[in-house]
Amino acid sequence: MDRLSSVLSAFRPKATSVSAFHFSFQNERLVLSADSSYWLYLITGELSLTAQGESRTRLKEGDGVWLATGQDLNVSLIQGLHGEAKLLICEFDFATKALNPLLDLEWQWVKVEKDDEIALQLIPLKNLLLTESLQPRCGSQVVIERLAEAHLVQMLRLFIQNQKIELGLLAGLSDARLARAIVAIHEQPQQAWQVASLAEQAGMSRSVFSGLFKSTMGMSPMAYLTSWRMRLAAQRIKNGDSNLAVLSDELGYQSEAAFRRTFKKVIGVTPGDIGRQARL
């Protein structure tokens, strides 16, 4: 399995809405759910986006920004000839922030400027998405959703290929050596992995591997292994897998009790809590 598919097979993005918003006032508020991931693309005009934490980015026509998790944004219109702007907003259900490791970079806005190599390679998909969104036809809703999902996956692929992200899972997958170890964890979470065996997968010495992994991923190899196992377990429980004895065995735990303790420590709630939430 390739490096990106090893994540997307467990956490598959689903487009929940694709809409074009018009801004004609100097200052407006845009509320984006923290439970969703977003791609914002400026169709016309020029805008400044500011989050509550004072993170700010300025978008010109043709620029876009990926928000791993939604935030409340203040939108400032930068007056142009017509004094208005149009923003395409693609919203994705991508598992919750607590589960999907791709969303750990919630603090980071990934901006793609119009003339960026990534933006140029996204042009065919972007044009199809805009055409279907702005000129809806029979069956457009289904087409739009699938195009938005394809656009997101292609964009994440290009982030990896162009080493666009400096910290977190996408950064780790951008390093060919670390990617081999990360994919091994994703594909075989039940294995009794140790730092030495993961370093061997990466083709590196134990000390060099451990240092690079932590500086790139923001956590140690063993911490990531545990986190991946528990997030995978939570996703499976959320999707209806209720046999914890089988699940704990498949994820490399010798006892269900040990699995339950680790789950509560990492996820913050019990497996039963996840199951009940899923049934609501």
Side-chain angles (χ1 to χ4, degrees):
M1 191 180 298
D2 68 80
R3 61 185 80 178
L4 185 55
S5 294
S6 72
V7 183
L8 299 183
S9 60
F11 302 99
R12 187 179 299 273
K14 179 181 179 181
T16 53
S17 72
V18 178
S19 305
F21 283 71
H22 291 263
F23 295 92
S24 56
F25 297 99
Q26 181 58 37
N27 293 292
E28 297 188 48
R29 192 170 182 80
L30 181 61
V31 180
L32 303 177
S33 172
D35 292 326
S36 299
S37 181
Y38 293 87
W39 168 246
L40 311 181
Y41 176 81
L42 192 58
I43 302 171
T44 59
E46 192 170 352
L47 293 174
S48 176
L49 305 177
T50 306
Q52 290 181 332
E54 298 306 315
S55 296
R56 176 178 297 178
T57 192
R58 183 168 177 166
L59 298 181
K60 296 181 180 180
E61 183 175 319
D63 293 344
V65 61
W66 180 49
L67 303 179
T69 57
Q71 305 173 41
D72 290 355
L73 302 177
N74 292 318
V75 181
S76 300
L77 183 65
I78 299 173
Q79 296 291 342
L81 181 63
H82 302 293
E84 62 179 16
K86 184 186 293 185
L87 184 69
L88 184 73
I89 302 179
C90 301
E91 180 179 2
F92 301 93
D93 177 358
F94 208 8
T96 63
K97 179 177 65 177
L99 299 188
N100 189 343
L102 284 175
L103 308 188
D104 284 344
L105 44 84
E106 58 168 319
W107 51 269
Q108 188 174 11
W109 297 10
V110 186
K111 183 179 178 181
V112 179
E113 296 182 348
K114 180 179 180 179
D115 296 326
D116 189 295
E117 179 63 28
I118 292 174
L120 296 177
Q121 293 188 55
L122 286 170
I123 285 175
L125 271 173
K126 179 208 70 178
N127 287 344
L128 285 172
L129 179 58
L130 286 176
T131 298
E132 289 290 340
S133 300
L134 302 178
Q135 302 174 8
R137 295 171 288 174
C138 181
S140 281
Q141 187 61 37
V142 174
V143 174
I144 289 169
E145 291 173 356
R146 300 295 83 78
L147 283 172
E149 291 161 7
H151 186 279
L152 176 63
V153 173
Q154 175 68 352
M155 183 173 64
L156 295 177
R157 176 191 295 167
L158 291 169
F159 285 171
I160 291 172
Q161 291 177 357
N162 291 271
Q163 299 182 325
K164 182 77 171 178
I165 312 298
E166 297 180 355
L167 180 67
L169 179 55
L170 284 174
L173 294 175
S174 299
D175 186 295
R177 300 164 299 172
L178 292 181
R180 289 194 291 269
I182 295 168
V183 171
I185 289 173
H186 291 174
E187 292 186 336
Q188 302 176 70
Q190 78 285 356
Q191 288 289 337
W193 295 111
Q194 298 296 328
V195 175
S197 56
L198 289 171
E200 185 178 352
Q201 291 285 327
M204 304 168 68
S205 71
R206 175 182 170 135
S207 60
V208 173
F209 168 75
S210 185
L212 180 61
F213 193 101
K214 188 168 185 178
S215 64
T216 303
M217 296 285 287
M219 65 181 73
S220 70
M222 291 297 97
Y224 183 75
L225 171 62
T226 301
S227 174
W228 175 259
R229 285 171 169 172
M230 294 303 101
R231 285 170 150 174
L232 193 62
Q235 184 75 344
R236 288 177 58 176
I237 293 168
K238 184 180 177 183
N239 291 336
D241 193 339
S242 59
N243 193 325
L244 296 187
V246 173
L247 184 56
S248 61
D249 181 66
E250 290 178 350
L251 292 175
Y253 287 84
Q254 295 181 348
S255 73
E256 185 180 330
F259 168 80
R260 286 179 177 273
R261 286 194 300 271
T262 306
F263 189 97
K264 176 68 183 301
K265 181 178 180 180
V266 173
I267 302 300
V269 297
T270 68
D273 292 333
I274 294 288
R276 284 188 288 273
Q277 291 170 11
R279 292 192 292 272
L280 292 179

